């Protein structure tokens, strides 16, 4: 029986585990992929206090992992499939094991939103900038989404690709001025406003991309076997394993100020939680509060 099980090893989960462990609790972190979460797979980490110059998602994730290991926190690499949360003993069921715990922290974030278009599963679609960007040196790439994360990854890709086109449904980029100014000064970065990617055609790999201008309805077909598409169109919260927890209209978990959900002893932290700002700073803050609250209850 654990005192605390933390689901997800992004900044929220690692912060929660560190605070729980620091209070003498027996903590387990369950992560289905890699320590670092979403921020571990971005080109650069910006704005979080204390980051090093040129901090990449990878270096940030490595330090998160080292800090958790240094604190003696066990991390198992398993996918949580089901949770049974009522009562004093909670059960967390993964693809490999079944665990019992006094408290649970749901810190398993969100997944990239699917566009829901034909051809979304083709090769060359839904790429990751730091992992795949180097394969697109000298080629044309498209970034879907006009918010902070999308524009930041587009700026990174502009250093590698021949041309980067940001395709956004809005009339202009909706990112912070810092990124907007950088984008305006980057000659090979273009914006396709009020537009959407309608379809990707090909057998295994992209052969043609069909874009639509949402104001005129006009379609533009790009016939390019070498093009790559990077999608940063928001996230959907990973809440399927928490049917018993209260959610807001957009599906995010509702908590009180202690990060406690509607079920006593069950907490939520980070991007999965209903809140206004989703950043590493707020994920770490939620993590700290949930870890302290869960430790007090366990
Ligand atoms: C392109 C982009 C750039 C960004 N850049 C910045 C930035 O520069 N600065 C900043 O502050 N914020 C940035 N953000 C936002 C930031 O990444 C998130 O706010 C932050 O990662 C949220 O942390 P989290 O711990 O809540 O969730 P996540 O980082 O999403 O971590 C959740 C973890 O849970 C795991 N998981 C999911 N389901 C399960 C399951 N069933 N079982 C076990 N494990 C599971 C996942 O594998 C993942 O590791 C960016 C976001 C994007 C998309």
């Amino acid at each position: 029986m654990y005192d605390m099980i933390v689901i997800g090893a992004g900044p929220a989960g690692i912060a929660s585990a560190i605070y729980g462990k620091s209070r003498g609790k027996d903590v387990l972190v369950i992560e289905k992929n890699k320590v670092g979460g979403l921020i571990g797979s971005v080109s650069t980490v910006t704005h979080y206090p204390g980051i090093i110059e040129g901090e990449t998602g990878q270096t940030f994730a490595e330090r998160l992992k080292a800090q958790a290991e240094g604190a003696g926190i066990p991390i198992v690499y398993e996918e949580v499939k089901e949770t049974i949360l009522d009562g004093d003993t909670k059960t967390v069921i993964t693809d490999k094991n079944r665990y019992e715990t006094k408290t649970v922290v749901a810190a398993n974030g969100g997944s990239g939103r699917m566009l829901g278009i034909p051809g979304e599963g083709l090769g060359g679609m839904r790429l990751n900038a730091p992992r795949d960007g180097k394969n697109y040196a000298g080629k044309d790439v498209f970034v879907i989404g006009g918010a902070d994360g999308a524009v930041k990854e587009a700026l990174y890709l502009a250093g590698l690709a021949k041309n980067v086109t940001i395709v956004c449904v809005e009339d202009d980029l909706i990112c912070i001025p810092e990124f907007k100014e950088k984008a305006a000064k980057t000659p090979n970065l273009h914006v396709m406003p009020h537009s959407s990617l309608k379809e990707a055609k090909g057998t295994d790999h992209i052969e043609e991309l069909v874009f639509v201008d949402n104001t005129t309805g006009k379609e533009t077909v790009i016939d390019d076997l070498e093009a790559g598409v990077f999608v940063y169109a928001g996230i959907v919260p990973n809440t399927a394993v928490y049917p018993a927890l209260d959610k807001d209209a957009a599906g995010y978990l509702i908590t009180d100020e202690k990060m406690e959900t509607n079920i006593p002893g069950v907490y939520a932290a980070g991007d999965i939680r209903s809140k206004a700002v989703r950043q590493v700073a707020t994920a770490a803050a939620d993590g700290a509060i949930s870890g302290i609250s869960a430790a007090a209850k366990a």
Side-chain angles (χ1 to χ4, degrees), residues 8 10-12 31-32 37-39 42 46 80 108 152 270-271 279-280:
E31 166 56 49
K32 72 168 181 181
L38 194 53
I39 199 69
V42 307
T46 44
V80 173
N108 49 316
K152 192 168 63 167
D271 278 10
Q279 288 283 285
V280 178

Side-chain angles (χ1 to χ4, degrees), residues 224-249:
D224 183 351
L225 291 169
E226 296 198 313
V229 177
F230 297 77
V231 180
Y232 296 100
I235 59 163
V236 284
N238 295 321
T239 54
V241 295
Y242 310 115
L245 298 185
D246 285 352
K247 299 163 191 87
D248 68 13

Side-chain angles (χ1 to χ4, degrees), residues 6 21 36 38 50 58 80 88 97 123 136 152 158 172 190 192 195 210 215 249 254:
V6 178
K21 180 78 182 173
L38 194 53
Q58 193 184 335
V80 173
D88 289 343
N97 285 299
Y136 289 84
K152 192 168 63 167
D172 196 3
H190 318 281
M192 193 190 281
S195 298
V210 183
T215 51
I254 297 170

Side-chain angles (χ1 to χ4, degrees), residues 22 42-43 45 82-83 88 105 123 134 142 151 153 188 196 223 230 232 238 249 260 265 297:
S22 72
V42 307
S43 59
V45 183
E82 194 185 337
T83 56
D88 289 343
V105 179
K134 56 189 175 306
F142 296 85
V151 180
E153 297 309 286
N188 63 335
S196 308
D223 187 352
F230 297 77
Y232 296 100
N238 295 321
E260 195 163 24
K297 186 151 280 189

Side-chain angles (χ1 to χ4, degrees), residues 20-137:
K21 180 78 182 173
S22 72
R23 278 143 179 83
K25 299 298 169 185
D26 197 7
V27 181
L28 176 71
V29 175
I30 306 179
E31 166 56 49
K32 72 168 181 181
N33 188 13
K34 280 203 239 175
V35 174
L38 194 53
I39 199 69
S41 61
V42 307
S43 59
T44 45
V45 183
T46 44
H47 309 124
Y48 184 67
I51 48 174
I52 53 169
E53 181 72 25
E55 182 89 71
T56 65
Q58 193 184 335
T59 57
F60 189 77
E62 282 165 4
R63 294 212 311 282
L64 275 181
K65 187 165 185 239
Q67 192 179 357
E69 285 172 353
I73 296 164
I75 302 171
V76 291
Y77 293 90
E78 300 173 19
E79 180 170 358
V80 173
K81 295 287 194 187
E82 194 185 337
T83 56
I84 303 164
L85 302 174
D86 50 344
D88 289 343
T89 300
K90 327 276 180 206
T91 306
V92 177
I93 301 160
T94 71
D95 48 353
K96 299 195 183 99
N97 285 299
R98 194 180 173 96
Y99 300 96
E100 292 199 331
T101 176
K102 293 178 196 162
T103 63
V104 169
V105 179
N108 49 316
S111 299
R113 186 183 296 284
M114 299 298 287
L115 299 174
I117 57 165
E120 198 163 0
L122 288 173
M125 283 291 297
R126 299 197 69 88
L127 302 169
N128 170 282
R131 185 193 62 208
D132 305 311
K134 56 189 175 306
N135 301 330
Y136 289 84

Side-chain angles (χ1 to χ4, degrees), residues 197-253:
L197 176 59
K198 190 181 166 197
E199 186 176 358
K201 293 183 180 170
T203 35
D204 299 320
H205 198 275
I206 297 174
E207 290 169 22
E208 243 179 55
L209 295 169
V210 183
F211 297 95
V212 61
D213 182 315
N214 297 318
T215 51
T216 62
K218 185 173 171 276
E219 289 189 0
T220 304
V221 179
I222 308 275
D223 187 352
D224 183 351
L225 291 169
E226 296 198 313
V229 177
F230 297 77
V231 180
Y232 296 100
I235 59 163
V236 284
N238 295 321
T239 54
V241 295
Y242 310 115
L245 298 185
D246 285 352
K247 299 163 191 87
D248 68 13
Y252 292 92
L253 300 181

